[in-house]
Amino acid sequence: MKILVLNCGSSSLKYQLIDMDNESVLAKGLCERIGIDGSKLTHKPAGKDEFVLETPMNNHEVAVKLVLDALVDSAHGVIGSVDEISAVGHRVLHGGATYSESIVVDADVKKVIRECFELGPLHNPANLIGIEACEAAMPGKKNVAVFDTAFHQTMPEKSYLYGIPYEYYEKYHIRRYGFHGTSHSFVSKRAIELLGLDKNNSKVIVCHLGNGASLSAVLNGKCFDTSMGLTPLEGLIMGTRSGDIDPAVIQFIANKEGKDINEMLNILNKKSGVLGMSGVSSDFRDVAKAAKEGNHQAKVALEAYVQRVLRYIGAYVAEMNGVDAIVFTAGVGENDGGMRKAFCDNLTYLGVKIDDEKNKLRGEEVVISTPDSKVKVAVIPTNEELAIARETLALI
Ligand code: AMP
């Protein structure tokens, strides 16, 4: 059985076609610059040459058609016809408070995705277009929505309510939702398996450290707290997002620079984080290189990044009254041993001890703590596409 996984961003579409008989990727690819000049499809079929097509893509509907064409193409395709696709799994950013699990898309589901446009203005509209484009191109085929917020719906009120008048929660559902849920769910489940923990008596902290970054406290297999909030802006310092700041900063800069609230949020989302602090790049490799070459701002940006992660780890240990395992995932978490060492060197108060040789490994599943470490520490590569495909298969 073959499942197509789609992840539509505001101007991009990532896809994977997965053969669920052995969970192998038959083809994957990316449509970039949808709706702007220079649109491009990069299609990577397993065992064949990469195919690149530069052609206008005015919207996601066009992009979906090009992806399906590429998948069935006689030269670089991997299936004979779209009939071979059993269902499509869609990553959907925001399911609000309605969905705590993935669901087969129907009119009600689309209504909720639409109602959440305000909460996910860049992604939810693109996610819905992706779903409707698949409905049009492959009538009768099941589409499954896998929400980035779903895993965090088990958070208790004390974790998800903001310290603001309750009327805003009642009137507008202003609360913390959390994101990267598919990754936190996939990685925490795998950690419990890999480390032999008792799911019903386990305390796991998942550190999803990529360009976007978030931590979650997973108590007995369920999300208890997470660092992102109403939107992905809250929490850690990220590639381009500020993470937590005093909201008064917004008013102060807006007044001084004559900017409105939308411009300010654009700065906090796209021009801040390690990019804004270092003035170098949002890519941690570039910032680390600059820091090594003596760039003070780059050095401090990385130090602040590490400190914010440590702050959240400390908070989550306190909230759960302990921790059995700390797990690193995503671009930085999976690849940057130096960064992992910087975190772990400050976690000796928990009894964390890591094996420096094992910590040098990159991008593979590995337990990096020593046998006598009081807390287990592991690297578990995230695989959001496979998690979406598994959820889709389970629902169809
Ligand atoms: P993601 O959003 O999960 O794709 O992660 C992207 C981030 O991972 C980028 O900021 C990269 O700098 C970072 N990254 C990827 N590979 C490495 C590496 N080998 N060392 C340090 N950072 C890396």
Side-chain angles (χ1 to χ4, degrees):
M1 192 175 280
K2 297 176 182 87
I3 304 275
L4 178 63
V5 176
L6 288 192
N7 180 358
C8 293
S10 52
S11 66
S12 67
L13 185 167
K14 283 191 217 152
Y15 64 94
Q16 281 193 10
L17 183 67
I18 302 180
D19 183 347
M20 296 309 288
D21 294 342
N22 54 12
E23 296 193 335
S24 65
V25 177
L26 298 171
K28 61 180 173 180
L30 167 69
C31 298
E32 295 168 89
R33 302 180 64 86
I34 299 169
I36 38 183
D37 284 350
S39 314
K40 181 167 108 173
L41 163 75
T42 308
H43 174 73
K44 296 179 182 169
K48 293 186 186 177
D49 287 344
E50 182 174 298
F51 167 72
V52 178
L53 177 68
E54 290 185 26
T55 182
M57 294 179 214
N58 290 338
N59 51 46
H60 285 77
E61 206 173 330
V62 177
V64 167
K65 284 208 183 92
L66 288 169
V67 169
L68 295 178
D69 287 349
L71 289 171
V72 301
D73 187 89
S74 56
H76 45 261
V78 290
I79 48 177
S81 103
V82 291
D83 291 342
E84 288 182 43
I85 300 172
S86 299
V88 188
H90 298 261
R91 181 181 187 183
V92 180
L93 181 81
H94 222 302
T98 310
Y99 295 118
S100 56
E101 283 176 4
S102 307
I103 189 162
V104 176
V105 175
D106 62 11
D108 289 340
V109 175
K110 288 203 277 185
K111 186 164 166 272
V112 171
I113 296 174
R114 204 171 283 116
E115 282 165 2
C116 292
F117 277 8
E118 266 186 328
L119 294 171
L122 293 180
H123 292 84
N124 267 42
N127 300 151
L128 186 60
I129 293 169
I131 289 170
E132 291 185 332
C134 287
E135 287 173 340
M138 296 177 281
K141 210 142 273 185
K142 283 201 169 99
N143 289 280
V144 170
V146 180
F147 299 97
D148 236 26
T149 46
F151 180 65
H152 304 302
Q153 279 296 308
T154 51
M155 280 194 286
E157 279 177 297
K158 62 185 173 187
S159 295
Y160 73 67
L161 285 179
Y162 284 114
I164 59 173
Y166 194 69
E167 62 175 290
Y168 299 121
Y169 170 62
E170 290 180 304
K171 280 202 277 192
Y172 310 121
H173 311 297
I174 301 297
R175 49 159 285 181
R176 307 182 60 255
Y177 289 95
F179 298 88
H180 294 139
T182 313
S183 176
H184 285 287
S185 167
F186 180 88
V187 171
S188 59
K189 282 192 182 86
R190 179 65 196 135
I192 287 168
E193 247 172 48
L194 175 73
L195 302 170
L197 302 177
D198 170 7
K199 183 185 166 198
N200 298 318
N201 187 17
S202 59
K203 297 169 179 175
V204 177
I205 295 176
V206 176
C207 308
H208 177 110
L209 307 176
N211 192 21
S214 63
L215 256 68
S216 65
V218 183
L219 185 60
N220 303 331
K222 291 186 179 150
C223 181
F224 182 77
D225 205 350
T226 192
S227 60
M228 285 177 165
L230 175 76
T231 76
L233 187 51
E234 188 179 337
L236 305 172
I237 292 172
M238 310 180 209
T240 64
R241 296 191 189 109
S242 64
D244 301 335
I245 58 161
D246 179 346
V249 169
I250 300 174
Q251 182 198 35
F252 197 95
I253 298 175
N255 286 344
K256 289 277 183 200
E257 302 261 326
K259 294 193 186 301
D260 66 23
I261 196 81
N262 293 324
E263 289 173 295
M264 283 310 303
L265 280 212
N266 193 44
I267 291 170
L268 296 183
N269 269 305
K270 300 204 170 139
K271 298 183 180 169
S272 299
V274 292
L275 167 69
M277 289 182 78
S278 68
V280 174
S281 168
S282 64
D283 192 304
F284 285 78
R285 288 162 289 198
D286 300 337
V287 182
K289 184 166 172 278
K292 230 182 207 164
E293 288 164 3
N295 182 322
H296 176 72
Q297 265 176 258
K299 182 168 170 276
V300 177
L302 293 176
E303 286 171 357
Y305 175 84
V306 170
Q307 194 191 56
R308 192 71 65 91
V309 172
L310 290 171
R311 187 183 298 172
Y312 269 94
I313 290 176
Y316 289 165
V317 172
E319 285 182 23
M320 295 195 289
N321 192 12
V323 62
D324 299 315
I326 299 172
V327 191
F328 296 104
T329 193
V332 177
E334 289 168 27
N335 296 301
D336 195 337
M339 194 72 94
R340 290 193 299 255
K341 183 157 171 56
F343 301 133
C344 292
D345 281 351
N346 251 289
L347 296 171
T348 50
Y349 73 99
L350 293 173
V352 164
K353 274 196 215 166
I354 60 163
D355 177 327
D356 286 334
E357 285 309 306
K358 286 194 176 144
N359 185 45
K360 280 184 190 150
L361 295 172
R362 279 182 45 188
E364 42 181 293
E365 185 175 278
V366 57
V367 179
I368 59 169
S369 49
T370 58
D372 62 337
S373 176
K374 281 200 187 126
V375 176
K376 293 182 161 80
V377 183
V379 178
I380 298 181
T382 193
N383 191 337
E384 286 164 289
E385 288 77 14
L386 180 58
I388 291 170
R390 284 180 183 166
E391 295 267 314
T392 304
L393 181 65
L395 279 170
I396 61 160

